[in-house]
């Protein structure tokens, strides 16, 4: 089955830029989506189809996808951005959605 | 705004069964695929199952295939997950998730989650 690899943790100071990666074999040919999960809450979609933002998601959130790596970038990080971030794709080989292991973003 | 209200979780013994439900509002339910995703305590998200908008196609992770059944009642805007032959490894928060118009699109709105605990 398709495997997505995310670093377990990323730390950044307030006001700086957080970059979180999602690695997968040829992921650039797939549509990658990202969700944010704050402690004790349900996940919330923050990026879909590599680069699109749902309504209500700040422009500080952006995504890209190429080659073997997709990236979620959060500019001007705020304390409220501290959360776990998961990438996910649909695997056509199994007809199942696949999640990465998640990255915990810590705002220093 | 889409709202997914979940119910039916609880404590069950190993080998037991349970049904969780998800009542949807704020969308034309019959237009959208629906999914279940679970999260074991302290762990990441795991895709469990999906069902097409009309209910004719269903999909299951290998870890639950043959034990879980997904279904929907479009007349009542409700999604179900029947869990049988439960093991301790099935203990998790189960999330109902609205998908796109087909099952291979992104996972959009999430329910609040319902906790299933398998323990003797």
């Amino acid at each position: 089955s398709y495997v997505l690899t995310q670093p377990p943790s990323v730390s950044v100071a307030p006001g700086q830029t957080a970059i979180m990666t999602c690695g997968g074999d040829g992921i650039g040919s797939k549509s990658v989506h990202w969700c944010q999960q704050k402690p004790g809450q349900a996940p919330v979609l923050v990026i879909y189809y590599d680069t699109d933002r749902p309504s209500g998601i700040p422009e500080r959130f952006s995504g890209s996808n190429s080659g073997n790596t997709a990236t979620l970038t959060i500019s001007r990080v705020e304390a409220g951005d501290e959360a776990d971030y998961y990438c996910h794709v649909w695997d056509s080989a199994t007809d199942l959605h696949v999640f990465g292991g998640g990255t915990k973003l810590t705002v220093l | 705004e889409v709202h997914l209200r979940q119910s039916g979780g609880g404590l069950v013994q190993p080998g037991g069964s349970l049904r969780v439900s998800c009542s949807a509002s704020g969308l034309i339910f019959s237009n959208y695929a629906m999914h279940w995703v679970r999260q074991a305590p302290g762990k990441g998200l795991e895709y469990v199952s999906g069902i097409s908008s009309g209910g004719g196609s269903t999909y299951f992770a290998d870890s639950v295939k043959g034990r879980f059944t997904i279904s929907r009642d479009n007349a009542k805007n409700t999604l179900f997950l029947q869990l049988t032959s439960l093991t301790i490894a099935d203990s998790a928060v189960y999330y109902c998730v609205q998908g796109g118009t087909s099952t291979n699109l992104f996972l959009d709105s999430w329910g609040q989650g319902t906790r299933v605990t398998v323990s003797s």
Side-chain angles (χ1 to χ4, degrees), chain A residues 4-83:
Chain A
L4 295 174
T5 301
Q6 297 184 250
S9 63
V10 167
S11 299
V12 64
Q16 300 303 304
T17 297
I19 298 174
M20 286 169 277
T21 60
C22 176
D25 186 25
I27 196 173
S29 66
K30 298 181 180 295
S31 293
V32 179
H33 321 293
W34 294 85
C35 60
Q36 172 197 68
Q37 186 180 33
K38 296 182 179 179
Q41 298 184 20
V44 172
L45 182 70
V46 294
I47 292 288
Y48 63 103
Y49 293 142
D50 299 338
T51 60
D52 293 346
R53 277 177 294 104
S55 60
I57 301 301
E59 292 183 8
R60 301 183 296 105
F61 287 76
S62 63
S64 64
N65 184 20
S66 178
N68 293 319
T69 304
T71 301
L72 173 68
T73 301
I74 308 175
S75 305
R76 303 180 300 283
V77 166
E78 303 173 356
D81 298 331
E82 192 162 276

Side-chain angles (χ1 to χ4, degrees), chain A residues 33 35 37 41-43 45 48-49 86 88 90 95-97 99, chain B residues 35 39 44-45 47 59-60 95 103-108 110-111:
Chain A
H33 321 293
C35 60
Q37 186 180 33
Q41 298 184 20
L45 182 70
Y48 63 103
Y49 293 142
Y86 295 90
H88 77 270
W90 178 73
D95 281 338
L96 298 176
H97 290 265
F99 286 93
Chain B
H35 308 268
Q39 186 171 37
L45 301 175
Y47 185 75
Y59 308 88
F60 297 93
Y95 292 101
T103 51
N104 62 334
L105 302 181
F106 58 92
L107 305 179
D108 196 345
W110 295 63

Side-chain angles (χ1 to χ4, degrees), chain B residues 18-109:
Chain B
L18 198 66
R19 189 176 81 160
V20 293
S21 303
C22 172
S23 178
S25 59
L27 77 167
I28 301 175
F29 183 72
S30 60
N31 282 356
Y32 295 94
M34 296 294 295
H35 308 268
W36 291 98
V37 175
R38 70 183 180 182
Q39 186 171 37
K43 302 298 184 181
L45 301 175
E46 179 189 13
Y47 185 75
V48 173
S49 181
I51 186 168
S52 60
S53 57
S57 297
T58 58
Y59 308 88
F60 297 93
D62 286 346
S63 58
V64 306
K65 195 175 295 183
R67 300 187 300 119
F68 290 9
T69 303
I70 188 172
S71 61
R72 63 191 297 163
D73 184 339
N74 283 347
K76 296 184 177 179
N77 293 348
T78 303
L79 175 72
F80 303 100
L81 185 68
Q82 179 74 41
L83 299 76
T84 65
S85 302
L86 285 163
T87 71
I88 293 174
D90 295 315
S91 296
V93 174
Y94 285 74
Y95 292 101
C96 162
V97 191
Q98 175 224 332
T101 51
S102 62
T103 51
N104 62 334
L105 302 181
F106 58 92
L107 305 179
D108 196 345
S109 298

